[in-house]
Every structure is written in C-alpha cells, then in structure tokens.
Amino acid sequence: MLAFFKLWPSKPKILKKHTPTKNAPIGNNDDDLPAPPPPLSSQNKNVLYAKEAFRIDSITGERIEADTEDSENYLNLHAILLPENNFPSNAKSFSVGYNKALLDGWVKQPSPCCAAASVAGAYNALTNKKRDDKGARTHLDVLVLMADMLKEQLTTKQASFERLLGSSIDPLIVRVEEELAKLGRSLAGKEKNGAAQGAPNKLLLKLIREIVNVEGGEEDNKDCFSCFKKLYEDEAAAKGGDDDNDNDNDNDNDNDNDNDEVVEGGDGEEDGNDENDKENGNENADDQLLVFDFSNKKTKKISATDGKWKWKTQLCEIFKKIGGIQKVEADRPSTAPFGNWGIIGAVSRVSDLDASYHFTAKLLMGKKTIGANKKSTMEFALSKKDNEQTIEKQWSGLRSKFNATNCCLLFHLKNHYALIFAIREWVVINEAGEKECVRQIFTARKGQRPTTWIDFSEARDTMIGWDGYKMMAVESKRL
C-alpha cells in the first residue's frame, strides 16, 4: 500500500492514503522487528545500506552482482524515509510518499537477473503479497516467462532463415558450439571487459566459414553446409571472385552486440539501435521473404547476391538468441539479453500466473526520441532543453503516478533494473534568499534491496544520456 504525508512548519499534519491499518506508522516501534543489519557507514548520506550487492563465486572466484544475505524484513521507516533520520530542520515544506507493499514484497536477486527480480517484486506488491506469503513470486517464476519469450523469438527467426536457405541449420548450430567449446568459449559466455569467453559476431562468422569449407558438399546436396557453401560461392562471384574471409559481414555492419554484464558482473543491456522497435513488439521487422518490384509486376525472391538478404546478420542474431536462452536458464541466471521490451513482455505474461489479475507495463518517462525507428511513446519525454517549469511538471507527474492505486514504478537506470520504493521532496531557502527544491527517489543501484536516495536531476540525466534508460509504470487490474 502507499502512504503520503506532508509537513508544514506551522502545523504538522499527516495524510495517509488507502486503509490506514495497512500502512506502517512512522515511528520507532522496533519491538516487532527483527534485529537490524550491522551498522554500516557511508560517506553519502543518501546511501542507507552501504554493503555492496555482490558475492564471490566459490569455484571460479568471479565477482557476481547479487543481494547480500542480510534479512529483507528489517524495516525502520524513520531511517528510510527521513533525511538523516529526521525532518529537515531548515525545510520550508517537506513531503514523502512510500509504497509499503513494495517494501514488503521486493525479492532478492541471487545473480545478475535484475529484470526478473524487479518484475517479481512488482507482482507481489500489486497482488498485496509479502515475499514470504503463499503465492508470492521470485525471480525464478519470471525467468521461465522470459526464457519462453526468447524461445518464441528464436523459433520465428530460425524458421524464416531456414525457409530462405532451404535447409535446417541445426547441424551448423551443433558444430559451432563444438568449435566454441574447443576454444573455451560458449554462446552464453561473457566477452566484454576482457573476459574472452563469449562468441562475438566476427568469431562466429569465421567459425561458420571454416566449418562450411570442411563440411560443405556438392551443390545438389540439400544439407545446410552445402547451402551455405553455395551462398559463399555466389557472394564471391558477385564480388568478382574475391572470396575474402576478412569481409565476413553484411554491408560492413558487424552489429556485434554482446549482451554481457557490462560493469563488474552487473546486468548489462544491449545498446542496440533497435531497442525502441523491440519495445513496440517489432522484433522481426527485418524478416521478409519477398521483395516486390512494381516496375515489372513481378516478385523477386531474396538471394545472397542481390544484397537484399543480410543472411550473415540474421544468422548471428539466431546464435545470439540461443546464447540468450542459455544465459537465462543457467545455474547463475542473467537477464542481460533483455531490454525494456523484455520487462514489458514479462509483465504481460505474469498475467498467466494469476487469473484474477491483468498486468500491463508501459514506458512512463525517458529521453525524447525522433525518427522512423524511434516509435516509443511515453507520458513524459525528457530533453536537455527542459526548463524548470517543465521539470516541475515531470516531477509532479511522476509523483502522481507513484501514488496511483494499483501501480508500481520500475526504473531502468545504468546497467540495472530496480523498483522505486519511495519519493520525497522539500524546499529550503538558501543564503541568497532563493528557494531550492530537493526531489529524490528511493531505489537501488545494484541488487534489489532498497538502499539509495537518488536526486531526480541525476535520474533525468541518466535517462537523457541514453534512450534505453527509462522509467516504466507496472499496473494491475483485478478481474
């Protein structure tokens, strides 16, 4: 449930939203609370829990983003909601709103699976379940839904590719994975930050060519290796017989988006230019079988020689989907293959877990985008050129949405997804006699534990910095 109160210096007053008995009082009633985590120090007064969200893999020694083992249930609202555990003494006005259901329902992420864990926490809050209640969801429930999304995309992409090729590519997939294993790599391996365990596009295309050179038979054979051999031969003929291995890409576009954890095992996102198309469900926008030529009233099938079928790009995308599925289903699952489209899709599928609710997610706030491939629509589009009046309107809209019934806010900040548990603002008069507004959101930079108050100005800068960073509204409707 949500609670909201505002303080005026002359006459303090508390306003509570929804049923008061369902909202925790703001006080020091610690008798019924478990023992708090050990005292932690932080140089930043906005960081309320200074333990970093990571653990060390006992076998590999790898640093993994994960919530700490400290209890989720400790809840001291005074410490959480008030700046430095007290009302600002110099504030002309002060207000705070918090989502008690989210504080009770968020769940830990044991690995870089922040997208799944944040959706699970939103589900628990929107169905009024505490994390330990029967029927409450965890990251594991959402991971199954997200893996199914990738599997459906893979099935569509692979079926389309095989129709054009004229053969199943399953034998090639097996051979590629065998060759990667010999190199100590895998489709799900990490590649960035010097890890060298994954399968970048350039390496994939090199291995595919080498495999085809060994396995490719006569043109009359209908196996995939012979079909690929014919593609290479047609390509070489179109280039005047120059069969150059170094040019193994489509139009010099080796769109090598390795969906790895970007920062110290954190949940990274693919910084692809098709982010917004995916958010609108346009996952297979490039998947066309025929090109129509109205000048001669004929249809022309795409071939490798006419430049219409970017088969190398599409083949690499298929391998990336396979690697994505392996990441999601790993013993230490990662949701790095997903962008905002994955959150929106997962929330929609959560409805299948509970027939009494219908869930939706939509983009609420983010960078203003233009162009044919930037189709995302948001209630609040941000720009560097926004004036103070516009920013005030954006904050008011965020506050209104936060306090809305049956709604949770989810923030895609840098390399991470986390819920927004509270908001607060106050006004002070500086030495020059001018008003200064402090606006903050309570969320998590790593892990899912609510830990940090972030200035709204910083959140805006993050979202304006890349159009993939967004705030999303997750909503439920009781059926």
Side-chain angles (χ1 to χ4, degrees):
M1 307 273 37
L2 302 176
F4 180 81
F5 69 86
K6 188 167 184 175
L7 174 67
W8 290 265
S10 59
K11 185 178 180 181
K13 183 178 180 181
I14 293 179
L15 303 176
K16 290 188 176 181
K17 188 174 181 179
H18 306 320
T19 308
T21 58
K22 292 185 179 181
N23 291 304
I26 297 181
N28 293 316
N29 182 20
D30 294 337
D31 295 339
D32 299 328
L33 298 175
L40 300 168
S41 61
S42 172
Q43 294 181 348
N44 187 341
K45 62 184 180 181
N46 289 322
V47 177
L48 305 186
Y49 182 84
K51 278 189 180 180
E52 194 173 355
F54 79 94
R55 64 182 179 86
I56 302 298
D57 189 288
S58 59
I59 298 177
T60 65
E62 183 181 359
R63 181 185 173 97
I64 304 166
E65 181 182 340
D67 280 293
T68 67
E69 294 181 359
D70 288 339
S71 172
E72 309 99 309
N73 295 317
Y74 177 73
L75 183 65
N76 185 327
L77 289 175
H78 236 126
I80 289 175
L81 301 177
L82 303 181
E84 300 185 81
N85 204 22
N86 210 338
F87 292 101
S89 59
N90 60 340
K92 183 177 178 64
S93 62
F94 176 85
S95 64
V96 63
Y98 66 99
N99 189 323
K100 180 64 163 54
L102 273 184
L103 292 171
D104 289 336
W106 71 269
V107 296
K108 292 181 179 181
Q109 62 173 83
S111 64
C113 58
C114 59
S118 58
V119 171
Y123 169 88
N124 293 339
L126 292 172
T127 56
N128 296 310
K129 293 182 177 66
K130 296 183 179 180
R131 65 184 61 84
D132 296 324
D133 287 350
K134 182 179 180 180
R137 301 298 177 178
T138 71
H139 67 288
L140 294 174
D141 298 297
V142 181
L143 282 169
V144 172
L145 303 177
M146 300 183 88
D148 287 343
M149 292 168 59
L150 290 180
K151 290 174 182 178
E152 291 172 8
Q153 293 173 2
L154 172 62
T155 298
T156 301
K157 284 182 175 291
Q158 186 170 340
S160 173
F161 189 92
E162 290 175 343
R163 285 196 300 270
L164 287 167
L165 182 67
S167 175
S168 169
I169 62 172
D170 286 340
L172 176 67
I173 294 172
V174 172
R175 289 286 288 110
V176 167
E177 291 193 297
E178 290 175 349
E179 294 302 316
L180 285 172
K182 293 177 183 178
L183 299 173
R185 294 172 175 264
S186 71
L187 293 173
K190 291 193 293 183
E191 184 63 19
K192 292 185 177 179
N193 298 327
Q197 298 171 347
N201 288 356
K202 186 172 291 187
L203 176 60
L204 279 174
L205 293 171
K206 178 177 180 292
L207 292 177
I208 291 168
R209 181 182 282 272
E210 291 174 352
I211 292 169
V212 170
N213 287 340
V214 173
E215 303 287 350
E218 299 298 326
E219 183 177 340
D220 292 338
N221 295 343
K222 295 302 180 182
D223 63 273
C224 69
F225 302 112
S226 299
C227 293
F228 279 115
K229 183 178 180 180
K230 181 64 165 58
L231 287 178
Y232 284 122
E233 291 172 349
D234 290 347
E235 187 178 69
K239 294 179 180 179
D242 182 14
D243 190 10
D244 189 354
N245 290 15
D246 293 333
N247 291 325
D248 260 338
N249 56 69
D250 293 320
N251 295 333
D252 296 323
N253 180 23
D254 186 25
N255 189 21
D256 211 351
N257 293 322
D258 301 309
N259 304 323
D260 294 314
E261 295 82 356
V262 175
V263 181
E264 295 184 344
D267 263 327
E269 301 304 329
E270 58 177 311
D271 297 346
N273 294 325
D274 57 346
E275 171 89 31
N276 291 289
D277 285 333
K278 290 181 179 179
E279 288 168 356
N280 286 285
N282 193 18
E283 177 64 23
N284 301 301
D286 58 348
D287 211 6
Q288 300 177 354
L289 292 178
L290 296 176
V291 174
F292 293 93
D293 181 359
F294 293 101
S295 61
N296 54 17
K297 306 288 182 146
K298 294 180 180 179
T299 59
K300 181 170 59 177
K301 187 174 181 179
I302 295 173
S303 70
T305 58
D306 62 12
K308 298 297 183 180
W309 183 27
K310 296 183 178 181
W311 65 271
K312 293 176 184 177
T313 298
Q314 292 186 9
L315 186 58
C316 287
E317 290 173 357
I318 290 171
F319 279 106
K320 293 302 180 186
K321 291 296 179 186
I322 296 171
I325 294 168
Q326 294 173 356
K327 288 180 180 181
V328 174
E329 294 185 334
D331 292 337
R332 194 180 70 218
S334 168
T335 51
F338 294 92
N340 296 333
W341 63 272
I343 291 286
I344 294 171
V347 168
S348 176
R349 291 176 182 237
V350 165
S351 300
D352 297 335
L353 301 178
D354 193 332
S356 57
Y357 288 90
H358 177 68
F359 299 92
T360 58
K362 62 182 180 180
L363 301 178
L364 176 67
M365 184 175 292
K367 182 180 180 180
K368 185 184 299 182
T369 55
I370 58 175
N373 294 324
K374 304 296 183 182
K375 303 174 184 177
S376 296
T377 57
M378 294 166 294
E379 192 167 345
F380 299 99
L382 310 180
S383 170
K384 291 182 178 180
K385 299 179 180 179
D386 292 338
N387 57 30
E388 181 57 36
Q389 184 178 5
T390 301
I391 295 173
E392 169 64 29
K393 183 178 179 181
Q394 293 162 357
W395 171 256
S396 297
L398 176 65
R399 180 180 58 205
S400 176
K401 202 67 176 179
F402 179 88
N403 287 312
T405 305
N406 300 326
C407 180
C408 293
L409 299 186
L410 197 155
F411 188 16
H412 182 184
L413 58 163
K414 291 183 178 180
N415 304 314
H416 192 53
Y417 288 101
L419 296 159
I420 297 178
F421 299 90
I423 60 172
R424 68 186 183 189
E425 61 181 319
W426 65 95
V427 177
V428 298
I429 306 298
N430 62 23
E431 296 179 354
E434 300 171 332
K435 288 185 178 181
E436 290 185 357
C437 297
V438 180
R439 306 178 180 115
Q440 296 180 329
I441 60 173
F442 190 44
T443 185
R445 295 187 190 273
K446 295 287 183 70
Q448 295 301 302
R449 184 187 302 276
T451 57
T452 306
W453 285 98
I454 297 177
D455 288 332
F456 182 56
S457 59
E458 179 187 340
R460 288 186 78 258
D461 289 344
T462 296
M463 290 183 280
I464 292 172
W466 179 52
D467 59 12
Y469 296 138
K470 297 282 196 299
M471 286 185 183
M472 288 168 275
V474 182
E475 299 174 303
S476 68
K477 180 179 180 181
R478 193 71 185 253
L479 301 178

